[in-house]
Structure formats: C-alpha cells, structure tokens
Amino acid sequence: MLTTLKPLHCATTLKTIALRRLEKVNFYKLRKKSLIYNYTSKRLFANAAVANNYLDINGFAYSIDSWTNVTPKILSYLGLNKHLQTNHPLSIIKQRIVNYFYKTYKTSRGNPLFSVYDKLNPVVTIQQNFDNLLIPVDHVSRSKTDCYYVNQRYLLRAHTTAHQVDLISSGLDNFLVVGDVYRRDEIDSTHYPVFHQLDAVRLVTKDKLFERNPGLEIFERDWSPNLYNSNQNQVLTSSKCMDQTKQSCHTLEAIKLIEHELKGVLAGLAKDLFGANIKHRWVDTYFPFTQPSWELEIFYKEQWLEVLGCGIMRHEILQQSGAHNSIGYAFGLGLERLAMILFDIPDIRLFWSKDTGFLTQFNEKDLYNLTKYKAVSQYPQCINDLSFWLPPGVQVNEGFAPNDFYDLVRNVAGDVVEQISLIDQFNHLKKNRTSVCFRITYRHMERTLTQKEANDVHKLIAEACVETFKVEIR
C-alpha cells in the first residue's frame, strides 16, 4: 500500500526524511515546480526540485539518482489519458473490447463479471513492473535504454501488466486494466514512447473449472507447492527452454480446458473487432509471466498481423498473490495497433493531435460503425542529416545509445519529427573514434513546416547533442 504524507514545506526536512525512509514505499508531496524543458541550457531532465535532488511528478517527490532518465517531454504526457477521451479512437477501441467482455462473461444475476481499472497510477516500482512478473534481472526489458526510470526504485510502467499482482492480491479474479505505458523506442510512423495497453486476467478454481467433472484436479497429485520466493536472485526465469506444453504443477486436463476457453474468447474478440470471417492463427511464443504462451495473428489485407499476446499465468505469480488454488489466463494488447488497423490511421502521432480536423472524424455513439480516417491534408516533409563524431572510445550501444539520442530529439523538437534513421556509421581506427549520421524527417501534423523552421530546430538538436553527448558535429 502506498502511503501519502502531508506536504512538507521545508526542503531540508523533506530531504532528510526521504533519505531516512528510502527503503520504504512512500511518496512525499512537494510544492509544484516547473517541469518545462530549459532550451537555453539544453538540459534533458526536468527542472523540478533539482537543487534538492528531487523530481516532482504529479505532486509527489522522487529522489533523483544515476538511474533517472525520464524527460520533461515524456512527463508531459502523464494525465492526458487518451483512452478516456470521449470520441477518441483509442477510447472507442477500448470500449469495444470492454463491451465484448461484459457480454461474454456475466454473473448469475446477469451483471458483467469483469471489472475495469483505467485510472491507475503509471508510476510503479521495480518490483511491480519486473520482479512480481518473474522477469529475470538480466532481461533486456529492464535496461535504462528500454525504460523511463524515475530513479532506481521507480519507473513509468512499461506495461499495464505491472498491476496484476496488486489487483489479484486485493481479491479480484476477473478484471481488465487499461492505461498509458512508456518505453524508449525509435522514431517512425508506428512507434511512439507513450502508447496504451489493455491487459486482462481471469482466474478460476477447481469448482468452476471442473463444474461438470468434479473428479478432475487442477494440480498434479505428486506436485508439492513451493511458495514463491521474492528474492530476485532465486528467480531464475531467463531461459526460454521452459516446457511450453504446461507447467509442472498443472494437470493436462486443467491446461487444455483453460486453453480452450482462452483461445475461444480471444478468437471471438478478433471476430467482434474485425468481422466474423476474419482468419486467425495461434503462434507459440515465450513470456516470462505465462506458460504456455501464444500470440494471436489475423490475416488482414493480405498479410498476417499480430494483435495480442496471451498465456496461462505462471503459478508462482498466483501464489505470491494469495490465489494458491486458482488457475488462470492473461492477455495483453496495444490499443494504438488495433486503432491504426481499424481506422486506417497511418501515423501513430495522430493519436496525440489536437487538430479538430482529426478529432471530429470519430464518434462513440455507434461503436460498431467505425469511420475510416480521412487525411485532412498531406503536408510536405523536410529532411535533414545530422553527422557527428562520438567522443574517443565511445561507440554505438557502447557508451552511446540511439534511444538517448531519440529522447533528446523529442525534447527539443517534439512531434514535428516524423522519423529518424541511423543511415551511416563507421569506426576510425587511428583516431579511435566513431562517426554516425542520422537522417531526421520533419513534418508537422497540422500545418506546412517550412525548411527554415526545420533548419532552426535542426540547429537546436545539434547544439543539444554537443552539450549532452560531448560530440563533434561534422
């Protein structure tokens, strides 16, 4: 349980108490300060309580350390909640999925069985985002180049799955979680550092699963449960060679029955979204938190497209959540991916547009008559290349991470950057230096961007690179 303390107006007192209680999961309110990017000094990080080594996020103070890499640009997205914005394409897709589960699963009284949680705090702990889900300590998804860290203990959630254990521990067994998630990524028409996910969990006990066959069991008779050890050093799940047929604790009958329900429900969801005649297939895959695991693909416009990942929940997760006697499934999907397909939206940046020419095209009054997006206008591109020498001894992914460069560009240029490509790199052996060249495509989503405007932004990016990465512009 997260504890919120009353505001502390003395910076020294706040710092002292925070350091003393660093090991506890507590938040401290702080007076609001500016999170606006300081273009003059070309600083990448928030200008919030820096003097006291604190970062103010939504009124809560977090200590800054060597792991802090969240930027003001990214923080500006918190609270926008596009999935809750009436008539927004993401809200429409979310409501379609929620309605499908409402009508698919009902209580004995005819009420929806699933509950929906779409306003959960996107700032989570390392334990919530990784440890609770058995994601190994050496997994690439924990890297600073993949996630936005507030500090070594907190980050902006990389998936809504981060809330699973908390919700199950509170006694829930059928729920949907919807929200914004944050991942450091490349810049192009299908990738954005902030997007929206929908996760679902369904748990059942023996009485429900084998209602018609009470003699069958969920767990193997010779299986002895070993309660989940929260010490991450004991969680050795990095191997993808786990038996994807079933977990050792489960009987084959239990796995086949829950798999049948899972695949039937999700195939039904695909038909609800894409039409009754949509072709689909299941692809075996690996996730640390489910076993066995699958991806659902649909055949759409002459190609196979992955639309979601799913699987049987690892029993260790259920054990640590207090659901020792249950078995269940979970799945997760990206709302932007589905919306881009169903509305024919060509650029993921459009979901953040404030242009009424975009927003007025969609309406929630008829969720099952989706309007295809019509481009208001196709504004021209401006393309500039940026080449620079990295500092001596520094190479790409060895001291210089492209995702760091992408974040810098986002902070300086915002969404006028449509795409960035690393088009050239070479190592000069005598100089022990590496040269890189990025091609930056500029295009404004709502008006024509002049070449002069693009050049001015390009110059700011170059200056910020020199200041931040100590590079030499070529």
Side-chain angles (χ1 to χ4, degrees):
M1 180 65 69
L2 300 179
T3 304
T4 302
L5 301 185
K6 294 181 178 180
L8 298 177
H9 299 289
C10 174
T12 303
T13 303
L14 174 59
K15 183 175 181 179
T16 301
I17 293 178
L19 291 174
R20 188 186 308 134
R21 299 187 177 183
L22 188 61
E23 299 302 317
K24 295 185 179 180
V25 186
N26 289 325
F27 292 117
Y28 297 86
K29 281 194 172 182
L30 188 68
R31 290 168 298 187
K32 290 186 177 180
K33 301 190 178 182
S34 172
L35 289 176
I36 300 175
Y37 177 70
N38 187 336
Y39 286 99
T40 304
S41 63
K42 308 297 185 297
R43 298 183 60 179
L44 268 176
F45 298 107
N47 187 27
V50 172
N52 294 317
N53 294 323
Y54 283 93
L55 188 64
D56 183 353
I57 303 178
N58 293 336
F60 296 97
Y62 299 85
S63 60
I64 295 174
D65 57 30
S66 61
W67 279 82
T68 306
N69 65 356
V70 64
T71 66
K73 176 65 176 177
I74 296 302
L75 290 175
S76 70
Y77 292 104
L78 270 67
L80 295 184
N81 295 328
K82 294 296 182 180
H83 62 292
L84 300 178
Q85 182 178 325
T86 303
N87 295 329
H88 194 280
L90 299 181
S91 175
I92 293 173
I93 299 301
K94 183 206 84 168
Q95 199 55 53
R96 281 282 298 268
I97 298 172
V98 170
N99 287 353
Y100 172 79
F101 274 84
Y102 278 177
K103 67 184 181 183
T104 301
Y105 289 101
K106 294 182 179 294
T107 67
S108 57
R109 296 186 177 184
N111 297 319
L113 181 63
F114 273 73
S115 52
V116 180
Y117 300 87
D118 53 18
K119 298 178 183 178
L120 298 178
N121 188 355
V123 180
V124 298
T125 64
I126 303 302
Q127 180 174 351
Q128 289 173 303
N129 201 81
F130 301 115
D131 300 345
N132 285 351
L133 301 174
L134 309 183
I135 298 175
V137 293
D138 59 349
H139 198 277
V140 65
S141 65
R142 290 179 179 254
S143 169
K144 286 176 64 177
T145 61
D146 275 46
C147 295
Y148 287 104
Y149 281 89
V150 176
N151 55 37
Q152 63 180 340
R153 292 184 169 275
Y154 298 96
L155 73 160
L156 301 183
R157 64 188 170 205
H159 45 199
T160 46
T161 317
H163 301 286
Q164 270 189 9
V165 167
D166 292 337
L167 293 174
I168 296 173
S169 298
S170 69
L172 297 173
D173 52 13
N174 294 277
F175 57 84
L176 301 168
V177 181
V178 193
D180 44 332
V181 298
Y182 301 79
R183 295 182 192 172
R184 305 184 70 189
D185 213 333
E186 56 192 298
I187 298 179
D188 59 31
S189 62
T190 61
H191 293 87
Y192 207 74
V194 189
F195 56 102
H196 297 75
Q197 279 191 341
L198 182 146
D199 263 69
V201 166
R202 170 162 167 76
L203 305 180
V204 293
T205 58
K206 173 187 172 180
D207 292 343
K208 183 66 177 178
L209 185 64
F210 296 125
E211 188 174 5
R212 299 181 179 179
N213 299 280
L216 298 178
E217 299 288 342
I218 289 179
F219 303 105
E220 296 283 6
R221 296 185 184 279
D222 59 352
W223 175 73
S224 177
N226 295 312
L227 292 179
Y228 174 80
N229 187 337
S230 60
N231 185 338
Q232 184 63 30
N233 292 327
Q234 300 298 317
V235 183
L236 303 176
T237 60
S238 57
S239 173
K240 294 187 179 182
C241 299
M242 296 187 301
D243 181 6
Q244 288 299 312
T245 304
K246 72 179 190 70
Q247 298 171 48
S248 61
C249 60
H250 294 142
T251 63
L252 188 60
E253 294 84 359
I255 286 294
K256 289 302 180 184
L257 202 55
I258 199 74
E259 176 186 344
H260 177 76
E261 178 181 338
L262 165 66
K263 291 184 174 179
V265 167
L266 295 184
L269 174 62
K271 292 179 180 179
D272 186 85
L273 292 173
F274 296 97
N277 296 323
I278 193 71
K279 295 180 181 179
H280 72 277
R281 68 183 183 186
W282 296 98
V283 179
D284 292 342
T285 189
Y286 162 84
F287 300 116
F289 32 81
T290 55
Q291 179 190 356
S293 306
W294 304 275
E295 289 176 344
L296 173 61
E297 296 183 350
I298 59 169
F299 193 69
Y300 188 80
K301 292 187 176 181
E302 303 304 316
Q303 61 179 325
W304 287 102
L305 300 175
E306 181 231 325
V307 292
L308 60 84
C310 62
I312 310 303
M313 293 188 67
R314 292 277 298 275
H315 194 62
E316 297 97 320
I317 296 176
L318 298 186
Q319 284 182 303
Q320 65 168 315
S321 306
H324 308 282
N325 299 319
S326 298
I327 187 173
Y329 70 70
F331 77 86
L333 54 82
L335 293 181
E336 276 87 350
R337 183 172 182 80
L338 294 181
M340 292 180 78
I341 297 172
L342 290 168
F343 291 105
D344 283 346
I345 295 175
D347 194 312
I348 196 170
R349 293 178 298 163
L350 282 166
F351 293 114
W352 301 94
S353 175
K354 298 179 182 178
D355 184 4
T356 56
F358 171 77
L359 296 173
T360 55
Q361 293 189 35
F362 312 101
N363 197 307
E364 286 187 11
K365 291 184 178 180
D366 188 354
L367 294 174
Y368 295 88
N369 183 20
L370 302 183
T371 303
K372 297 297 183 180
Y373 167 70
K374 296 180 180 179
V376 178
S377 178
Q378 187 64 45
Y379 299 106
Q381 297 176 332
C382 296
I383 300 176
N384 289 18
D385 290 348
L386 180 61
S387 300
F388 49 82
W389 289 103
L390 297 176
V394 175
Q395 298 183 22
V396 176
N397 294 322
E398 295 182 18
F400 174 78
N403 278 349
D404 290 337
F405 175 72
Y406 301 150
D407 273 336
L408 180 145
V409 173
R410 288 189 178 102
N411 275 289
V412 174
D415 286 346
V416 299
V417 173
E418 180 178 73
Q419 184 173 0
I420 299 180
S421 302
L422 178 59
I423 62 172
D424 184 52
Q425 70 178 86
F426 72 91
N427 299 322
H428 195 295
L429 298 180
K430 291 185 178 180
K431 292 184 177 181
N432 189 28
R433 299 189 72 177
T434 297
S435 173
V436 296
C437 180
F438 289 95
R439 177 156 293 166
I440 305 178
T441 302
Y442 300 91
R443 186 190 335 236
H444 203 289
M445 298 300 296
E446 299 167 4
R447 66 174 179 84
T448 297
L449 187 72
T450 68
Q451 186 63 57
K452 182 182 183 304
E453 289 176 315
N455 292 344
D456 290 342
V457 175
H458 200 72
K459 182 179 179 181
L460 285 175
I461 293 173
E463 293 173 353
C465 282
V466 172
E467 177 71 20
T468 303
F469 303 124
K470 310 304 179 185
V471 302
E472 179 184 339
I473 303 298
R474 297 186 63 195

